[in-house]
Amino acid sequence: AAIVKGFHSLHKKQQKKKQDEQALEAQQAAAQQAQQAAAQQAAAQQAAAQQAAQQAAQQAALQQSAEQALIDAAWGGHEDIVRRLLSVPGINVNARNNYGNTALMVAAGRGHENIVRTLLDAPGINVNARDREGDTALIRAAERGYEDILRMLLDAGADVNDKIGGDWTVLMVAAEGGHEDILRVLLAAPDIDVNVRNRYGRTALMGAVYKGNENIVRMLLDAPGIDVNLQDEDYKTALDIARSGNKPVIIELLEGAVGRFTKGAGRLG
């Protein structure tokens, strides 16, 4: 009986040991499966992240390519291409090329009225953006005498008193360039300041006198608020400049205008 009892006890111990070993093996297998599943999940996440990064890079490259194409199309006057490119999701209408030019700048400088109109209707358009030289679309249109484009830009909120590189206003550019039609448009702008001076203290009137453009001088003298007694950094008025340049017609025009102002007003400094 004792032998039988001992045998049963040994058998139970062996069964218990076997069960424990099986349970341990099951735990180890489950742990291994969990590790494999975690590794597979991590690999899948990494692959998905890499794919997303590649897609993002491709999208960014496509968008950059579309933005450069937009500038090129605006420069070339390709209206249909400009319209199609503006419909590209996420395209930046104010993107710049290596020279700092936007599509609006090049279109305005090339005289492409329809493209300028289309760009001005684009959400987020910056009408006062500057290139590397400090020029704006308004300055470019004025320099080249594009009157209708100038009007569109002003209607869209372009700053009529903005300065090129912080120095020359578009009014000064038009006055010295002899662009009468452009000057007429600018003088009609509600916010125009006809007496703005550059770093040398010179006004648009002084520039026109220096260039000897009689019609421009007449137009500026008729502008509301014009001050003929302003002085530049050398304390010279427009009349002084006309006299030093021996411009008799302009001298007569200025002498007739001086009486409308208090002498000595507008001294620089």
Side-chain angles (χ1 to χ4, degrees):
I3 294 174
V4 172
K5 185 177 179 181
F7 175 78
H8 284 302
S9 176
L10 178 62
H11 180 68
K12 287 181 179 180
K13 289 179 179 180
Q14 289 176 340
Q15 283 184 329
K16 181 67 170 60
K17 181 179 179 181
K18 185 175 181 181
Q19 289 174 349
D20 291 343
E21 290 175 347
Q22 290 175 341
L24 180 61
E25 289 176 356
Q27 290 176 353
Q28 291 175 341
Q32 186 176 7
Q33 289 177 351
Q35 289 176 349
Q36 290 175 347
Q40 290 174 351
Q41 184 178 7
Q45 290 175 344
Q46 184 178 5
Q50 290 176 343
Q51 184 178 8
Q54 290 174 351
Q55 290 176 344
Q58 291 174 351
Q59 180 63 30
L62 287 173
Q63 183 171 333
Q64 185 177 8
S65 177
E67 289 165 354
Q68 181 59 56
L70 176 64
I71 297 172
D72 292 342
W75 187 90
H78 304 297
E79 299 176 27
D80 292 340
I81 296 176
V82 168
R83 290 191 184 93
R84 287 200 296 269
L85 288 170
L86 286 175
S87 67
V88 174
I91 193 166
N92 179 9
V93 69
N94 299 309
R96 302 170 183 271
N97 61 14
N98 294 333
Y99 303 99
N101 296 323
T102 66
L104 182 62
M105 291 177 195
V106 298
R110 298 276 291 176
H112 300 313
E113 295 181 18
N114 290 337
I115 291 179
V116 170
R117 187 176 293 106
T118 298
L119 290 169
L120 289 176
D121 288 337
I125 187 70
N126 182 2
V127 71
N128 290 311
R130 298 176 181 273
D131 64 12
R132 289 182 177 178
E133 304 299 324
D135 289 356
T136 63
L138 188 71
I139 291 292
R140 294 191 180 190
E143 285 178 334
R144 293 162 178 79
Y146 297 132
E147 182 180 352
D148 291 337
I149 290 178
L150 193 78
R151 284 196 178 92
M152 285 190 282
L153 293 169
L154 289 173
D155 290 342
D159 185 356
V160 70
N161 298 311
D162 198 12
K163 293 184 177 181
I164 307 172
D167 197 15
W168 298 85
T169 67
V170 66
L171 185 68
M172 296 174 185
V173 171
E176 294 202 17
H179 300 302
E180 295 183 24
D181 291 338
I182 294 296
L183 193 74
R184 191 172 291 107
V185 173
L186 294 172
L187 291 175
D191 299 329
I192 188 70
D193 184 349
V194 294
N195 296 313
V196 172
R197 291 184 274 190
N198 65 12
R199 71 180 72 176
Y200 307 109
R202 288 198 169 184
T203 64
L205 177 62
M206 294 176 189
V209 170
Y210 179 79
K211 291 290 186 178
N213 194 315
E214 298 171 10
N215 288 338
I216 295 291
V217 170
R218 286 190 178 92
M219 292 173 66
L220 289 169
L221 289 176
D222 287 338
I226 191 72
D227 189 344
V228 299
N229 290 311
L230 289 175
Q231 297 174 328
D232 64 15
E233 63 179 4
D234 296 321
Y235 303 103
K236 290 184 178 181
T237 65
L239 181 55
D240 293 329
I241 296 172
R243 285 171 175 165
S244 64
N246 191 24
K247 298 176 172 59
V249 174
I250 293 179
I251 291 173
E252 184 179 355
L253 290 171
L254 290 169
E255 285 179 339
V258 166
R260 291 184 283 166
F261 303 92
T262 302
K263 288 194 175 185
R267 181 184 178 91
L268 181 67

